[in-house]
Amino acid sequence: MTDRLSARAFLALLTDDFTELPHPPGTPEPDGPLGWHGYDAARARAAGRTGEEESVVCGTGHVLGTPAVFLAFEFGFLGGSLGRRTGDRLEAAYAHARERRLPVVPLVATGGSRMQEGMLALTQLQRVARQSALTRAAGLPQIAVLRDPATGGGWATLGAGADVVLALPGAQVGFAGSRVRPPDADPAAYTAEAQVAAGSADAVVPSGELRGTLGRWLRLLTAPSDDPAPVPAPLGARDLPETGWDAVRRARSPERPRAGAYLDAYFTHRVALSGDRCGGADPDGMLCGFGEHAGRTVAYAAQTGRATRPAGYRTAARLIRLADRLGVPVLTLVDTPGAANDAAAERQGAGAAIADLFTAVASVSTPVTTLVIGEGGSGGALALAAPGSTWATPDSYFSVIAPESAAAILKRPPEQVEATADQLRLRPQDLAELGVIRTGDQLFPGTGDRRP
């Protein structure tokens, strides 16, 4: 059973306090803008059941000390549907958020647009989309919480249009509501869990953990900083490799620390961003999110040592652009033998996804810091690296392509792979001499800081 609390009860569950915003002025027309017979009676019954005059309650409150504007839908009022008066309230709340420089938290529980107001109800989605876009342009985060149900235009604007999407377990989530789906549709596809798997939502959070999770997200996304993220200290070998093949062998060692160990050591706490918002996720190949390091927020995108899939590159690009808009520095960790190169990856747009990540890293204003912690395999690794601000650990390598592939391209026999690795000059010290990476005492003792 998913959450069935009223809007105000759900607000009480999440917030330290809550103050409702004044309602925009205006008097509803008799039976609404279409003169729909019985509409007034339906609204009166809904008001009697819920104690509300509309399907959304808007106001300000704090979550673990961080202030925000809340847009809480009351599903008991005509299925949480959006009508013209709903749009008035949402527009006023978004404007209040921009005026006060507050994040926006939609608590979505809606079946979509209100039938009794026809196209005038549907066009409220355009109003909401514009308000969301203006809020995004103002550099303010939007964190949606999906209750049950979150369907129709409410999901497609307030929900899926948010920067971060959290959902309650088992919540019904999808553009098509339960009464308008094909009769043979798989109901499991219209759940919060399915939306996370498809990359359209970031996490499923039990109601008992939601306040803490939302509080962490709000605190992290409202703490901009102009300073670059510090370079993490190496967790593995401290001596430099003697040969190119030694560098490759060390980077591929199963004992070498991976991204999870670096993130755990670097951050006091962190929250994960998941999914490319295009139908895919790569949770095993790319870790993205925001965390606290030395008292300030740092965003991260970290490869895990596996071949990165297109959804992973798109998720990283999404993370970097969000951090840029919020003024948060970024740390990227490079560790991949290369981009996934199977047929499925090509069908999923591998080239376009990598190109988009290159563009994101090249175009953002927020500082990006990169540490190569393992394998740096070709363009699939380089796309995540910040030009002029990349370091490498002693147990890593970075190469135009893996030595085995280089030997194959050059039509060399397998016994020449190790010699090819030397010729590629892929060791950390080689990369420093070539001006590809920066050096520093924390990674190369006694070298000082040398920039590419």
Side-chain angles (χ1 to χ4, degrees):
M1 174 70 70
T2 56
D3 162 73
R4 293 295 185 186
L5 296 176
S6 69
R8 293 184 191 271
F10 198 70
L11 284 164
L13 178 71
L14 291 184
T15 63
D16 310 334
D17 53 26
F18 179 75
T19 302
E20 191 169 1
L21 291 171
H23 300 160
T27 303
E29 309 95 323
D31 276 335
L34 304 185
W36 187 289
H37 180 67
Y39 184 28
D40 279 351
R43 285 189 290 198
R45 290 192 297 271
R49 285 193 303 268
T50 64
E52 306 294 349
E53 297 177 358
E54 250 306 331
S55 60
V56 68
V57 178
C58 300
T60 58
H62 294 76
V63 182
L64 302 183
T66 303
V69 168
F70 291 86
L71 318 174
F73 279 78
E74 175 53 71
F75 188 73
F77 192 100
L78 301 180
S81 56
L82 282 80
R84 191 158 61 179
R85 299 286 291 169
T86 322
D88 292 341
R89 291 191 179 193
L90 293 171
E91 186 174 64
Y94 271 110
H96 182 84
R98 293 194 297 274
E99 179 184 342
R100 303 296 178 88
R101 302 293 303 167
L102 295 175
V104 177
V105 181
L107 307 177
V108 185
T110 173
S113 300
R114 193 168 298 171
M115 300 299 100
Q116 296 91 332
E117 296 188 22
M119 276 301 298
L120 291 177
L122 189 64
T123 58
Q124 301 312 303
L125 303 180
Q126 295 172 320
R127 293 178 72 187
V128 170
R130 173 167 173 76
Q131 293 304 312
S132 178
L134 291 172
T135 304
R136 185 177 299 110
L140 300 171
Q142 299 171 69
I143 305 173
V145 177
L146 308 181
R147 300 172 63 201
D148 184 36
T151 60
W155 158 235
T157 52
L158 291 150
D163 300 311
V164 178
V165 180
L166 309 177
L168 289 173
Q172 180 186 176
V173 181
F175 185 64
S178 59
R179 299 183 183 181
V180 295
R181 297 172 193 156
D184 59 346
D186 179 7
Y190 302 86
T191 63
E193 290 78 4
Q195 297 294 347
V196 170
S200 297
D202 292 290
V204 172
V205 184
S207 58
E209 301 174 13
L210 189 55
R211 186 178 184 187
T213 300
L214 179 59
R216 284 191 292 275
W217 271 111
L218 287 169
R219 186 168 62 254
L220 289 168
L221 297 191
T222 55
S225 173
D226 295 329
D227 296 328
V231 183
L235 300 180
R238 302 303 296 266
D239 60 312
L240 293 171
E242 294 184 2
T243 67
W245 187 248
D246 185 35
V248 173
R249 180 184 57 78
R250 288 163 53 156
R252 293 176 178 175
S253 169
E255 284 76 39
R256 175 184 56 79
R258 283 348 197 231
Y262 275 91
L263 296 175
D264 287 344
Y266 191 80
F267 290 111
T268 306
H269 61 87
R270 53 191 168 98
V271 288
L273 198 78
S274 176
D276 62 3
R277 299 299 187 263
C278 300
D282 186 17
D284 297 326
M286 183 76 77
L287 305 177
C288 294
F290 291 79
E292 182 179 301
H293 174 79
R296 65 193 186 99
T297 302
V298 174
Y300 64 87
Q303 291 169 318
T304 65
R306 301 188 181 196
T308 308
R309 304 207 63 82
Y313 291 113
R314 285 190 287 262
T315 304
R318 172 190 162 216
L319 177 281
I320 290 168
R321 290 191 173 106
L322 174 58
D324 185 49
R325 180 158 52 78
L326 300 179
V328 173
V330 179
L331 170 69
T332 65
L333 301 179
V334 170
D335 185 11
T336 181
N341 58 5
D342 53 28
E346 292 299 332
R347 286 192 292 268
Q348 294 160 7
I354 294 169
D356 188 48
L357 181 54
F358 268 119
T359 300
V361 172
S363 60
V364 295
S365 298
T366 198
V368 180
T369 300
T370 298
L371 179 63
V372 185
I373 64 170
E375 292 195 80
S378 194
L382 188 66
L384 198 60
S389 192
T390 293
W391 284 260
T393 63
D395 49 2
S396 69
Y397 77 87
F398 217 149
S399 178
V400 62
I401 201 167
E404 296 90 341
S405 298
I409 291 170
L410 297 172
K411 299 182 179 180
R412 293 179 174 179
E415 55 267 23
Q416 292 188 24
V417 167
E418 294 187 18
T420 302
D422 287 331
Q423 289 181 289
L424 288 169
R425 300 200 65 192
L426 47 72
R427 300 175 302 169
Q429 60 266 45
D430 297 327
L431 300 171
E433 290 178 7
L434 292 169
V436 174
I437 66 168
R438 294 174 62 172
T439 61
D441 285 342
Q442 72 271 47
L443 298 173
F444 299 93
T447 63
D449 188 7
R450 182 166 59 191
R451 296 172 179 264

